[in-house]
Amino acid sequence: MSGFVEKPEPIQVPGLVHLHTGKVRELYQNEAGDLVMVASDRISAFDWVLPTEIPDKGRILTQLSLWWFDQLADLIPHHVLSTELPAGAPADWEGRTLVCKSLQMVPVECVARGYLTGSGLVEYNESRTVCGLALPEGLVDGSELPAPIFTPATKAAVGDHDENVSYEEVARQVGADTAARLRQATLAVYSRGRDIARDRGIILADTKFEFGFDGDTLVLADEVLTADSSRFWPADQWQPGRSQPSYDKQHVRDWLTSAESGWDRKSEQPPPVLPQQVVDATRAKYVEAYERLTGMSWT
């Protein structure tokens, strides 16, 4: 059992039709048929959306995505039409709302990995492969790969795990041409992001993207290169062979798995409320990632 500890009721706004409540985002459609994405301050861990929010998280994710879309504009078009607040929307939506082009979404999580960790490390330790791609001997947790790899996953419902799949399975599901375009775009965007982050003292270990089609044009959608969709590591603390410190919700995961939380991941009990020090430390990591990447101060 997993999912929402407390599923929120969506805010009703005149002229907007609520379509979906995700782990972090609320999705609406306006009268023109455009999508309106609102990033909440919700945070998830271990397939649960927690009862505690991280202040400003949704705005930080939104503003960082907008910054990245600008850095990537020459590589691939994106789905953002406007950041203007819809008429009648609550003031709290300011800075966390994107009006986006409605796309035919590709049902694949497009993951790029430049370093070995997470589920990729688990598979590598079993078979010396990641998503069926053979890798050299001798790699450890945090090792840089010889070259970035495309390791797609199926998209899961809230509360379920995404499942890694082979490139061949993606080609079977969406067609060989689309699969090839997804792989090319994923690796190109990852490589650009990796180089920009590296110049700012951050390692982009891996990340996931979502794409959709506007006619025949492949478009980058959802969020991009945020601490929710990516593993960012401080370059000056990188040390292969151990778990790396990161700019994400590691404080949340560490506390939930500690004796202090009293929570058993294997039970069917929902996770508890986060203590204030964990909330503050997690918010600080999101802010630090934003400021180091963009060079701008978060206010």
Side-chain angles (χ1 to χ4, degrees):
M1 178 178 168
S2 54
F4 288 92
V5 174
E6 300 169 6
K7 189 167 184 178
E9 284 295 323
I11 295 170
Q12 301 300 320
V13 177
L16 299 184
V17 176
H18 182 262
L19 301 177
H20 179 67
T21 295
K23 289 181 180 179
V24 173
R25 287 167 180 76
E26 299 287 349
L27 190 61
Y28 296 81
Q29 188 172 46
N30 65 18
E31 293 172 340
D34 304 320
L35 295 182
V36 179
M37 289 174 42
V38 185
S40 74
D41 292 337
R42 295 191 292 267
I43 191 165
S44 63
F46 304 118
D47 297 320
W48 283 96
V49 180
L50 304 181
T52 312
E53 295 189 341
I54 307 299
D56 289 327
K57 176 174 172 284
R59 289 190 179 88
I60 294 168
L61 296 181
T62 300
Q63 298 307 310
L64 184 56
S65 286
L66 286 168
W67 183 83
W68 277 115
F69 282 133
D70 285 345
Q71 313 307 308
L72 303 166
D74 61 315
L75 287 181
I76 188 167
H78 60 74
H79 67 157
V80 179
L81 297 172
S82 169
T83 58
E84 186 175 345
L85 208 59
D92 183 60
W93 282 18
E94 187 69 47
R96 62 174 78 240
T97 302
L98 299 177
V99 181
C100 303
K101 187 174 296 186
S102 183
L103 304 172
Q104 182 182 349
M105 296 301 294
V106 182
V108 176
E109 291 278 4
C110 293
V111 179
R113 301 174 192 265
Y115 293 75
L116 186 64
T117 194
S119 63
L121 176 65
V122 173
E123 181 184 336
Y124 174 81
N125 286 338
E126 293 173 349
S127 61
R128 297 298 182 262
T129 64
V130 176
C131 288
L133 297 173
L135 293 175
E137 292 283 342
L139 302 181
V140 296
D141 192 357
S143 288
E144 184 172 9
L145 301 178
I149 56 176
F150 176 59
T151 58
T154 57
K155 294 182 66 174
V158 174
D160 293 335
H161 278 298
D162 293 340
E163 182 179 346
N164 291 346
V165 295
S166 67
Y167 177 79
E168 290 72 22
E169 176 61 20
V170 172
R172 188 189 69 78
Q173 289 186 16
V174 302
D177 179 67
T178 296
R181 293 175 69 181
L182 291 174
R183 179 168 60 184
Q184 187 278 329
T186 297
L187 294 176
V189 174
Y190 169 80
S191 296
R192 173 70 62 81
R194 175 201 60 197
D195 293 347
I196 291 173
R198 183 179 288 159
D199 287 344
R200 290 154 171 80
I202 291 178
I203 289 173
L204 174 59
D206 56 39
T207 191
K208 63 180 179 179
F209 305 114
E210 293 196 33
F211 295 94
F213 279 98
D214 179 19
D216 292 330
T217 303
L218 189 65
V219 177
L220 185 58
D222 198 51
E223 64 180 320
V224 59
L225 295 169
T226 70
D228 264 18
S229 64
S230 316
R231 280 189 179 92
F232 292 124
W233 299 335
D236 59 358
Q237 297 179 53
W238 175 52
Q239 184 180 323
R242 62 168 173 84
S243 178
Q244 312 299 316
S246 59
Y247 292 100
D248 60 8
K249 47 196 173 187
Q250 195 60 47
H251 284 287
V252 172
R253 297 190 195 98
D254 288 348
W255 184 79
L256 286 173
T257 54
S258 72
E260 183 185 348
S261 77
W263 182 57
D264 180 2
R265 279 182 62 188
K266 298 178 182 177
S267 74
E268 293 192 354
Q269 294 299 311
V273 171
L274 300 176
Q276 190 62 45
Q277 69 267 23
V278 174
V279 171
D280 293 344
T282 302
R283 181 185 182 277
K285 281 296 180 185
Y286 279 90
V287 169
E288 185 180 351
Y290 172 87
E291 292 184 341
R292 289 195 67 172
L293 287 166
T294 67
M296 297 182 287
S297 175
W298 180 260
T299 54

